Amino acid sequence: MKLEPNDWKKLQIPLVVLGVVIVVVVACIVLAQQYKTEQELALLNQQNQLNAARQRYQSSGLEKEVITAYLPQYQTLINKGFVGEERRIEWVESLRDQHKNHKLFGIKYSIKQQEKYTPAFAPNLGGFTLNRSVMQFELDMLHEGDLLQLTESLSKAGVAELILRDCEMTRLNESGALSSQLTANLHAQCELDWLTLREPAAIQTVAGP
């Protein structure tokens, strides 16, 4: 069947309408696919956020259980002065008491400014911050046992966690022999690390009332 020019003129408008309809349908299909893809991505993002929130909740619950389980031991460290702020006044009073109890000769001491401490033996403290204050003291002694008595009694007092770094002892009399009289025979110059552990804010919140 051969269409005449008049026939093409009659079909011109229906063909244009058909073309427009096809374009609109294709556009709707494309937009629908894009909308579906966007909704799938949004749903996936929401699921990821929900999973992350669930993991954080479970992790925080586990951390709280661990803290609760070890709270007595943790409180012991706080009471001993290892966790928290330095207790310099208490330490000075303890030093004076031990010095008096053991009837030692005169002692001189100094405490340097606190600083952060990252020793090789404690590479990962789980968010805690380890600090130290370098302490120096000089002590005249009757014999070496005076120094041992002082350091052991300070450790047992539980006021501070101390690590003896270095101690140099010299004889005071020229002969080098120790005298049994109540006179100083030795002089000690010692350096210690006073260690304290600063707790993270999250621990303070969970451990609090």
Side-chain angles (χ1 to χ4, degrees):
M1 179 179 178
K2 185 176 180 181
L3 297 177
E4 299 293 334
N6 292 332
D7 297 330
W8 282 111
K9 290 182 179 179
K10 294 179 182 179
L11 294 174
Q12 186 175 6
I13 294 177
L15 289 173
V16 170
V17 172
L18 178 62
V20 171
V21 171
I22 293 174
V23 171
V24 171
V25 170
V26 172
C28 290
I29 293 174
V30 172
L31 291 176
Q33 290 293 334
Q34 291 179 349
Y35 179 78
K36 179 181 178 182
T37 302
E38 292 175 356
Q39 292 300 310
E40 290 176 347
L41 291 176
L43 179 60
L44 180 61
N45 186 39
Q46 291 180 352
Q47 290 176 343
N48 291 335
Q49 293 179 356
L50 179 61
N51 291 334
R54 185 180 293 110
Q55 290 177 356
R56 287 195 299 269
Y57 175 77
Q58 293 174 348
S59 177
S60 64
L62 178 60
E63 290 176 356
K64 186 173 182 179
E65 290 178 0
V66 172
I67 293 172
T68 302
Y70 290 95
L71 188 58
Q73 295 90 329
Y74 187 70
Q75 188 63 47
T76 300
L77 294 177
I78 294 177
N79 295 337
K80 292 179 64 176
F82 181 57
V83 176
E85 299 290 341
E86 284 185 340
R87 303 174 184 176
R88 296 204 173 194
I89 296 178
E90 293 183 21
W91 184 85
V92 171
E93 292 177 351
S94 177
L95 177 62
R96 290 174 178 173
D97 290 340
Q98 301 303 329
H99 178 266
K100 182 179 179 181
N101 292 338
H102 295 295
K103 299 179 181 180
L104 302 175
F105 293 101
I107 184 172
K108 298 179 181 179
Y109 64 89
S110 64
I111 307 175
K112 295 184 179 180
Q113 186 176 358
Q114 189 181 60
E115 61 184 7
K116 289 186 178 180
Y117 186 38
T118 54
F121 60 81
N124 185 8
L125 297 176
F128 286 80
T129 302
L130 184 62
N131 300 312
R132 75 169 175 180
S133 295
V134 177
M135 303 168 52
Q136 296 174 332
F137 69 84
E138 298 183 25
L139 174 68
D140 287 340
M141 304 177 296
L142 184 64
H143 50 75
E144 294 87 343
D146 291 344
L147 179 60
L148 295 176
Q149 284 184 336
L150 178 62
T151 54
E152 288 179 359
S153 59
L154 286 174
S155 178
K156 292 179 181 179
V159 178
E161 291 296 327
L162 307 174
I163 297 180
L164 186 62
R165 298 177 58 191
D166 182 64
C167 209
E168 181 180 348
M169 290 186 289
T170 56
R171 297 187 183 276
L172 297 178
N173 52 8
E174 296 181 357
S175 64
L178 297 180
S179 172
S180 60
Q181 302 297 321
L182 292 179
T183 57
N185 295 307
L186 301 171
H187 180 76
Q189 289 182 322
C190 299
E191 192 170 83
L192 304 93
D193 282 338
W194 180 356
L195 303 181
T196 53
L197 200 63
R198 190 68 55 83
E199 57 188 5
I203 298 291
Q204 299 177 11
T205 303
V206 175

